[in-house]
Amino acid sequence: MNRALLRCSVQLSKQSPLLALRGLRFQSTSPYKKKYYVDPEPQIGDYPNLPQEFYEDRPQRGWWDRQNRRNFGEPVPEQIEILNMWAPTQYWSPGWKMVGKMWCGFILTLGTVFFVISKARGERPYVRAFYPYGGLKEELGGVPSRTMAKSIEEAALEVKK
């Protein structure tokens, strides 16, 4: 990383000083990391620095120890607790496109159920009660209520709905 910084600073000093104000951009030696990238670890000494490969991703057959998917004498990686078969399972998560389809399907199903329930609901098994004098409105000092004929008409309209 220090070499990349030095390379960038030398290039910027050759060009105009306005480019130096924009910031540094590191030059990488490879466009992407390999599948089993091994980060150099100076503290493990002469022990082999193995790639982080989950044992769960290995094929099921062809191992000396079939339960743990290892061969006899195979070097143990430094993070064996994370990589072995007894570690928590790696879960596959679907992409955003599939998640969006799942949400749309859920909302569509929920809306369909609510629509069917609202259309299939039966009539009320009772007639709403209308009391003369607007219930207790007039007796409690409210506005004068409608007549008995108006309350019967309103009850008939309510039943038709």
Side-chain angles (χ1 to χ4, degrees), residues 67-88:
Q67 185 174 10
N68 292 323
R69 296 182 186 172
R70 308 186 49 227
N71 285 325
F72 183 78
E74 181 181 350
V76 178
E78 189 177 6
Q79 297 87 7
I80 187 68
E81 298 87 15
I82 299 169
L83 303 173
N84 68 3
M85 290 298 294
W86 301 103

Side-chain angles (χ1 to χ4, degrees), residues 85-161:
M85 290 298 294
W86 301 103
T89 305
Q90 283 185 307
Y91 290 103
W92 171 81
S93 57
W96 286 108
K97 206 174 200 179
M98 188 179 290
V99 170
K101 288 178 184 177
M102 288 180 202
W103 271 108
C104 288
F106 173 72
I107 290 171
L108 184 70
T109 303
L110 200 64
T112 303
V113 168
F114 284 142
F115 178 76
V116 167
I117 289 173
S118 70
K119 293 299 178 188
R121 189 172 55 185
E123 293 183 18
R124 294 180 178 163
Y126 59 89
V127 177
R128 193 170 194 155
F130 282 93
Y131 298 103
Y133 309 113
L136 295 176
K137 192 180 268 187
E138 200 171 289
E139 282 78 9
L140 295 175
V143 293
S145 69
R146 57 189 178 267
T147 63
M148 184 69 167
K150 285 185 181 178
S151 63
I152 292 173
E153 286 175 8
E154 285 183 19
L157 288 174
E158 190 72 27
V159 170
K160 288 181 183 177
K161 289 182 185 177

Side-chain angles (χ1 to χ4, degrees), residues 20-41:
L21 295 175
R22 291 184 187 172
L24 298 175
R25 182 176 180 184
F26 297 106
Q27 294 178 352
S28 72
T29 55
S30 65
Y32 56 90
K33 292 184 177 183
K34 296 178 183 171
K35 184 177 180 185
Y36 298 114
Y37 174 73
V38 179
D39 195 17
E41 180 67 49

Side-chain angles (χ1 to χ4, degrees), residues 8 11-25:
C8 286
Q11 285 179 356
L12 287 176
S13 65
K14 290 179 183 177
Q15 297 171 356
S16 69
L18 291 176
L19 291 177
L21 295 175
R22 291 184 187 172
L24 298 175
R25 182 176 180 184

